[in-house]
């Protein structure tokens, strides 16, 4: 039977400061790690993490999931301080700002239930928050069979008896018992005989006269008499003086035929002229030409994912504009593409820059099947040809309205926004975090188009 639990190795960690001095940490190293292909979780026992370099038990998530490869990137999910903070993994070195993690023995549970063991080298990925390490090399280890169990040692001597404990405190007095029942009421005695009627008393004296009563209420008012005849018209009075001229109004002038104005509560806003037979709709308090859309409506080849608001690039108070999302994902395993090559013009992050980013990627990266080309192809059977990969901020609007749009998985989605020649922006739809990873990773893709 093949087994490995933990390997303890001596380790020396050297930290080079900016002043050229060095600090040496020594101690017993615990190199225990495991990786599950099914969950994508790498667990490392007792790892020193910057910036405090305290020992932790840490879990990292393989952003690509699946098989462990030399391009796998592990992002820190959580870390709990180790019960033995003096122990560190064999070996973590931080030299001139480069973070290298070496795990000599990693147990990897593969998809078929077999356990394999690897020697793994990882290097910290720059510009990534939270902390992330990318695998740079891995070598499978051939583990020998476990040796026979050694004989049991002799029992140790019996320890001395402990001192007698103190006497416990006096228990509380028990509660008083309940009151017994009341006895029955005796029978009522018989009523006595009626006594004789007494004599009538003498007539009392006449009382004094009472005080004068209050005055009675006033009677109701009589009916109004008939209307008298109309009097003669009086003489014409003199004409009053001419009043002062009022201030000039501020109603703004139009600039084109068919233009209209509406009051938004603080100012007059111009509504551009519509086209022949176009309908003017009162949409969310604003006169708008055409249909009034809401997020979640199925229209224009997909689902309304976002409606531009005041302050957004391209916002028009008279005409609704926004984003249409495809009703389902276009891929679950597309690379951003051209790892190691910077794509000019693909670094836009704001709303309205995703279309230009996609054009720049397609012009600068000819690799087939990349996220930008999958998004540009759009949903199968769509009559529209202007689909593209959303920018970082456009992708965030899809995450904010994901429940109304529907069809999203709690996983990583590519944006079209590039950071540099190695990294591009993604968003995790499980919690909304946005960060950058290597462009060779394969993630999910959801296409959008503007309206």
């Amino acid at each position: 039977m093949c087994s490995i639990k933990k390997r303890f190795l001596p380790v020396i960690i050297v930290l080079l400061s900016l002043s050229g001095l060095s600090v040496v940490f020594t101690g017993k190293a615990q190199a225990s790690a495991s990786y599950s292909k099914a969950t994508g979780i790498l667990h490392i026992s007792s790892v020193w993490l910057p910036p405090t370099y305290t020992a932790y038990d840490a879990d990292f998530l393989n952003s690509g999931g699946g098989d462990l490869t030399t391009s796998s990137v592990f992002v820190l999910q959580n870390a709990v301080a180790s019960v033995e903070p003096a122990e560190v993994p064999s070996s973590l070195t931080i030299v001139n700002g480069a973070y290298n993690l070496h795990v000599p023995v990693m147990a990897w549970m593969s998809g078929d239930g077999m356990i394999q063991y690897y020697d793994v080298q990882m290097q910290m990925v720059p510009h990534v928050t939270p902390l992330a390490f990318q695998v740079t090399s891995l070598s499978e280890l051939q583990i020998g069979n476990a040796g026979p169990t050694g004989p049991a040692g002799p029992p140790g001597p019996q320890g001395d008896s402990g001192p007698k404990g103190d006497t416990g405190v006096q228990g509380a007095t028990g509660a008083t018992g309940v009151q017994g029942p009341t006895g029955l009421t005796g029978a009522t005695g018989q009523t006595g005989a009626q006594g004789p009627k007494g004599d009538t008393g003498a007539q009392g004296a006449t009382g004094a006269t009472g005080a004068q009563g209050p005055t009675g209420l006033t009677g109701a008012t009589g009916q109004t008499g008939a209307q008298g005849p109309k009097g003669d018209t009086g003489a014409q009075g003199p004409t009053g003086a001419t009043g002062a001229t009022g201030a000039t109004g501020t109603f703004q002038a139009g600039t084109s035929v068919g233009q209209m104005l509406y009051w938004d509560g603080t100012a007059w806003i111009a509504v551009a002229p519509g086209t022949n037979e176009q309908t003017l709709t009162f949409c969310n308090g604003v006169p708008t030409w055409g249909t009034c859309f809401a997020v979640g409506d199925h229209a224009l080849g997909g689902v309304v994912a976002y409606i531009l608001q005041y302050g957004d690039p391209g916002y028009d108070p008279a005409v609704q504009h926004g984003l249409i999302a495809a009703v389902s994902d276009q891929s679950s395993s597309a690379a951003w593409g051209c790892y190691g090559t910077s794509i000019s013009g693909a670094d836009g992050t704001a709303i309205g820059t995703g279309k230009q980013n996609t054009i720049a990627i397609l012009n600068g990266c000819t690799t087939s099947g990349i996220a930008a080309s999958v998004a540009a192809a759009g949903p199968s059977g769509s009559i529209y040809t202007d689909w593209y990969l959303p920018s970082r901020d456009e992708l965030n609007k899809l995450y904010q309205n994901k429940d109304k749009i529907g069809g999203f998985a709690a996983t990583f989605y590519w944006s079209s926004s590039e950071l540099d020649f190695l990294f591009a922006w993604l968003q995790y739809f499980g919690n909304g975090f946005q960060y950058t990873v290597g462009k060779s990773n394969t993630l999910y893709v959801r296409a959008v188009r503007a309206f």
Side-chain angles (χ1 to χ4, degrees):
M1 177 179 178
C2 180
S3 64
I4 284 185
K5 295 185 180 294
K6 293 183 178 179
R7 175 183 291 178
F8 294 89
L9 301 174
V11 66
I12 296 178
I13 297 179
V14 181
L15 304 181
L16 298 181
S17 68
L18 295 177
S19 63
L21 299 177
S22 63
V23 180
V24 178
F25 294 89
T26 64
K28 181 176 66 176
Q30 177 179 328
S32 175
S34 62
Y35 173 66
S36 171
K37 175 181 176 180
T39 64
I41 294 296
L42 167 63
H43 176 78
I44 301 179
S45 178
S46 294
V47 59
W48 286 73
L49 296 177
T52 61
Y53 305 104
T54 301
Y56 289 93
D57 281 355
D59 287 325
F60 293 78
L61 174 65
N62 183 355
S63 61
D67 291 333
L68 185 66
T69 69
T70 55
S71 63
S72 296
V73 176
F74 288 92
V75 180
L76 179 64
Q77 299 296 290
N78 58 71
V80 179
S82 185
V83 296
E84 296 181 286
E87 295 182 344
V88 298
S90 162
S91 56
L92 171 67
T93 61
I94 306 94
V95 180
N96 294 330
Y99 299 72
N100 299 289
L101 175 61
H102 177 203
V103 182
V105 180
M106 175 186 291
W108 174 15
M109 179 67 75
S110 61
D112 57 7
M114 298 298 293
I115 299 178
Q116 298 166 276
Y117 301 93
Y118 286 85
D119 183 293
V120 181
Q121 296 276 0
M122 291 183 280
Q123 185 174 55
M124 194 182 82
V125 180
H127 310 296
V128 176
T129 302
L131 191 65
F133 287 88
Q134 179 166 350
V135 175
T136 57
S137 71
L138 66 158
S139 302
E140 185 173 357
L141 301 178
Q142 300 300 322
I143 306 301
N145 294 328
T149 303
Q158 181 174 336
D160 297 333
S161 300
K164 183 179 180 181
D166 297 333
T167 303
V169 297
Q170 175 68 36
T173 303
T176 303
V178 297
Q179 175 70 36
T182 304
L184 300 174
T185 302
T188 302
Q190 295 180 349
T191 303
Q194 176 70 36
K197 182 179 180 181
D199 296 334
T200 303
Q203 175 70 38
T206 303
T209 304
Q212 175 68 36
T215 304
L217 299 174
T218 303
T221 303
Q223 296 180 347
T224 303
Q227 176 70 37
K230 181 179 179 181
D232 297 334
T233 302
Q236 176 68 40
T239 302
T242 302
T245 302
T248 303
T250 58
F251 192 81
Q252 79 180 59
T255 58
S256 59
V257 176
Q259 186 182 59
M260 294 178 287
L261 298 175
Y262 78 93
W263 181 253
D264 71 349
T266 58
W268 288 101
I269 305 298
V271 179
T275 59
N276 190 32
E277 298 184 355
Q278 190 176 15
T279 302
L280 186 66
T281 306
F282 200 63
C283 185
N284 299 322
V286 177
T288 303
W289 291 111
T291 305
C292 181
F293 291 116
V295 172
D297 288 349
H298 283 253
L300 305 176
V303 183
V304 177
Y306 180 65
I307 296 173
L308 296 186
Q309 303 297 307
Y310 178 78
D312 288 337
Y315 171 75
D316 184 344
V319 181
Q320 269 192 329
H321 294 291
L323 297 174
I324 300 293
V327 297
S328 61
D329 298 328
Q330 276 57 69
S331 176
S332 61
S333 59
W336 199 94
C338 288
Y339 182 82
T341 301
S342 180
I343 304 300
S344 177
D347 57 352
T349 58
I351 293 173
T353 61
K355 181 68 173 178
Q356 174 56 41
N357 287 346
T358 302
I359 293 172
I361 296 168
L362 296 178
N363 289 337
C365 183
T366 59
T367 305
S368 63
I370 60 175
S373 64
V374 170
S380 177
S382 175
I383 64 173
Y384 296 96
T385 59
D386 55 353
W387 296 95
Y388 61 90
L389 187 63
S391 68
R392 183 190 66 184
D393 293 353
E394 290 170 337
L395 184 62
N396 190 48
K397 295 304 180 183
L398 267 62
Y399 169 75
Q400 292 173 356
N401 295 325
K402 63 184 177 69
D403 293 336
K404 293 183 179 180
I405 300 168
F408 288 101
T411 187
F412 301 91
Y413 283 81
W414 274 125
S415 80
S416 60
S417 302
E418 182 186 61
L419 178 66
D420 56 26
F421 66 103
L422 294 178
F423 299 97
W425 286 94
L426 62 75
Q427 185 155 9
Y428 181 55
F429 272 53
N431 55 24
F433 286 166
Q434 289 187 309
Y435 49 90
T436 60
V437 297
K439 298 191 294 184
S440 60
N441 286 280
T442 55
L443 310 179
Y444 278 59
V445 174
R446 179 68 71 97
V448 298
R449 59 182 300 270
F451 73 93

